[in-house]
Amino acid sequence: MRGRRGDRMTINIQEHMAINVCPGPIRPIRQISDYFPRRGPGPEGGCGGFGEAPAALAPLALAPPVALLGATTPEDGAEVDSYDSDDTTTLGMLEFDLLYDQASCTLHCSILRAKGLKPMDFNGLADPYVKLHLLPGACKANKLKTKTQRNTLNPVWNEDLTYSGITDDDITHKVLRISVCDEDKLSHNEFIGEIRVPLRRLKPSQKKHFNICLERQVPVCGEEGGCRDAKGWGRWEGQVSSIFSFPQLASPSSMSAALRGISCYLKELEQVEQGPGLLEERGRILLSLSYSSWRRGLLVGIVRCAHLAAMDVNGYSDPYVKTYLRPDVDKKSKHKTCVKKKTLNPEFNEEFFYEIELSALATKTLEVTVWDYDIGKSNDFIGGVSLGSGARGEARKHWGNCLHQPDTVLERWHTLTSELPPAAGALP
């Protein structure tokens, strides 16, 4: 179409679009997903590299509805969600048995096997072992540990670990923490996962079988597990502040675990600050009492101790036991056991005899203290317990049964506390 010079040519919009914009067959507008193809699971699901476009595009009318909406298959969705291995990868399963023997005051833990543990080493395997802690309690004192199984994600232990001195009160209030760790000879051992079992779930003399998935926890009490120091906040300040630095947390799940750990710690701290009556537990001692009518005296047996607090740098103690029958005007009632080297669970099996009438014994108090022997300096006090009419709980009950049942040997476990009797520290 020609026009005269100076005249403006008029072209309708249909011709303009056909000439300037789309000078060929009209093709559909590409979807965003066409520029970012995914490789499908099947042999023909691949679409080349991520920088390549599809070779040919079907007409818009023939495109499937799924492709139009940009939806993905379930396999694609699973691939997208699996970017964070910490949230979707299981840590493994742990199989074990627990048995509380009420008669012998023991807790038997049978660690059987684990399956599908998370790989921790460069070879895609791990060197797993299991640790047990009773919470709350002294960390080193009540730690039990299995042997290490090398280069496996499905270890079999079949080991029996036993806690002694477990009372009904422990079953009601304590929690068994079972941790699975990877042993590294050249660096620190790595934490894989843990399980926490409230002991109140156990019934006396009934074995309970467990097969549970491991869980992630932020161990507020440190990797060695366990308890809060009597000095209080100073030991925890760095650990709690590191937990509150949220940018360092790996995922929302680990953040929630950190908050749970902090809340548990603050709850324990609140219980300690409620009053001076709540004392720190320093271990257990098994005592036997018997009043002999024909010998006219009290027979005190120091059988053994369990889960004593560690007082030396090597993580152990050199414990011995002292007994006094108070009031002791002449200071002749002191008895002392031998020293057991480098142990937190010593066995003494020693007996001491106090010649005294039964009527006079009712006014006396038996003080039992446990000490750590040190060469060249003063001995360290570990813990103590007092048995008498002025005592409380099991100590008072044990003493009363001894007075009312002469010529009968009565054995009981007692909790050692951090309270030092006023007269006990005079002559260690």
Side-chain angles (χ1 to χ4, degrees):
M1 181 173 59
R2 279 178 173 267
R4 290 179 295 180
R5 185 182 298 271
D7 293 341
R8 187 173 182 179
M9 297 179 62
T10 59
I11 303 175
N12 56 25
I13 188 63
Q14 288 83 0
E15 292 177 334
H16 175 76
M17 293 295 295
I19 295 172
N20 297 334
V21 177
C22 191
I26 297 177
R27 295 181 181 276
I29 300 175
R30 295 177 178 177
Q31 301 291 322
I32 292 296
S33 59
D34 295 333
Y35 292 91
F36 301 92
R38 294 183 179 273
R39 299 181 183 273
E44 53 190 31
C47 297
F50 283 94
E52 301 175 6
L57 292 175
L60 184 60
L62 301 178
V66 175
L68 290 177
L69 298 175
T72 58
T73 62
E75 289 79 9
D76 293 336
E79 183 180 351
V80 173
D81 293 339
S82 64
Y83 71 95
D84 191 355
S85 61
D86 287 340
D87 289 338
T88 59
T89 304
T90 57
L91 302 176
M93 303 277 294
L94 183 63
E95 187 175 356
F96 59 95
D97 294 331
L98 297 180
L99 172 63
Y100 170 53
D101 190 347
Q102 190 176 25
S104 60
C105 297
T106 54
L107 176 64
H108 300 278
C109 310
S110 300
I111 307 300
L112 303 179
R113 63 184 61 86
K115 294 182 180 179
L117 294 181
K118 182 179 179 181
M120 304 300 291
D121 298 336
F122 290 108
N123 58 1
L125 300 174
D127 302 322
Y129 66 93
V130 178
K131 292 190 305 181
L132 304 182
H133 294 94
L134 279 178
L135 304 178
C139 56
K140 185 74 175 180
N142 61 29
K143 184 185 80 170
L144 299 178
K145 178 181 173 182
T146 67
K147 297 179 181 179
T148 302
Q149 302 295 324
R150 301 291 178 184
N151 295 325
T152 179
L153 299 180
N154 302 285
V156 178
W157 289 285
N158 289 327
E159 293 189 34
D160 294 328
L161 306 176
T162 303
Y163 281 104
S164 301
I166 303 299
T167 62
D168 292 338
D169 185 68
D170 295 329
I171 296 297
T172 304
H173 298 95
K174 295 213 170 188
V175 175
L176 178 64
R177 180 193 184 204
I178 306 177
S179 307
V180 181
C181 300
D182 172 61
E183 181 178 296
D184 287 329
K185 293 184 178 180
L186 302 179
S187 61
H188 295 290
N189 297 340
E190 295 180 294
F191 176 81
I192 298 178
E194 71 172 29
I195 297 170
R196 301 198 180 196
V197 181
L199 296 184
R200 61 177 177 270
R201 298 176 57 184
L202 304 180
K203 295 182 180 180
S205 303
Q206 293 185 15
K207 180 182 291 187
K208 189 173 181 63
H209 182 75
F210 296 85
N211 191 9
I212 312 178
C213 290
L214 296 174
E215 298 178 354
R216 297 176 186 86
Q217 293 288 344
V218 178
V220 180
C221 300
E223 203 260 332
E224 285 300 330
C227 74
R228 175 183 25 76
D229 196 351
K231 296 180 181 178
W233 179 259
R235 179 178 173 184
W236 299 88
E237 185 175 1
Q239 299 181 17
V240 175
S241 62
S242 64
I243 292 177
F244 272 114
S245 58
F246 293 129
Q248 299 178 0
L249 297 176
S251 61
S253 62
S254 56
M255 181 182 297
S256 61
L259 293 177
R260 288 197 303 269
I262 294 172
S263 63
C264 293
Y265 163 73
L266 294 178
K267 184 177 180 180
E268 265 195 289
L269 186 63
E270 181 181 358
Q271 293 176 353
V272 173
E273 293 178 348
Q274 283 179 354
L278 189 59
L279 300 174
E280 181 186 4
E281 182 178 323
R282 296 294 188 89
R284 303 292 173 86
I285 186 169
L286 180 58
L287 301 176
S288 67
L289 297 180
S290 176
Y291 183 81
S292 177
S293 300
W294 65 276
R295 295 180 62 183
R296 295 185 180 275
L298 176 66
L299 189 63
V300 180
I302 310 298
V303 183
R304 59 178 301 185
C305 295
H307 322 316
L308 295 179
M311 308 302 291
D312 296 336
V313 181
N314 58 6
Y316 294 95
S317 296
D318 301 322
Y320 67 94
V321 181
K322 292 191 305 177
T323 62
Y324 287 91
L325 197 59
R326 308 287 187 184
D328 184 16
V329 180
D330 300 329
K331 298 182 180 181
K332 295 181 179 180
S333 66
K334 175 183 173 181
H335 289 285
K336 177 179 173 182
T337 67
C338 62
V339 178
K340 300 295 182 179
K341 293 291 186 178
K342 198 178 179 181
T343 179
L344 300 178
N345 300 278
E347 293 189 10
F348 298 99
N349 294 317
E350 299 187 30
E351 291 184 345
F352 306 127
F353 181 76
Y354 292 98
E355 186 176 353
I356 187 174
E357 295 292 336
L358 183 60
S359 58
L361 186 62
T363 61
K364 298 287 186 177
T365 298
L366 179 66
E367 289 183 355
V368 181
T369 55
V370 183
W371 298 78
D372 171 55
Y373 178 75
D374 290 323
I375 300 177
K377 59 179 182 179
S378 60
N379 299 330
D380 299 321
F381 174 73
I382 297 179
V385 60
S386 297
L387 291 81
S389 57
R392 298 179 180 178
E394 287 294 326
R396 182 173 182 174
K397 185 178 179 180
H398 194 188
W399 185 258
N401 292 340
C402 176
L403 297 180
H404 292 90
Q405 301 177 27
D407 302 317
T408 304
V409 179
L410 303 172
E411 284 190 356
R412 292 283 176 83
W413 283 95
H414 297 279
T415 301
L416 300 171
T417 63
S418 57
E419 182 181 27
L420 178 64
L427 295 172

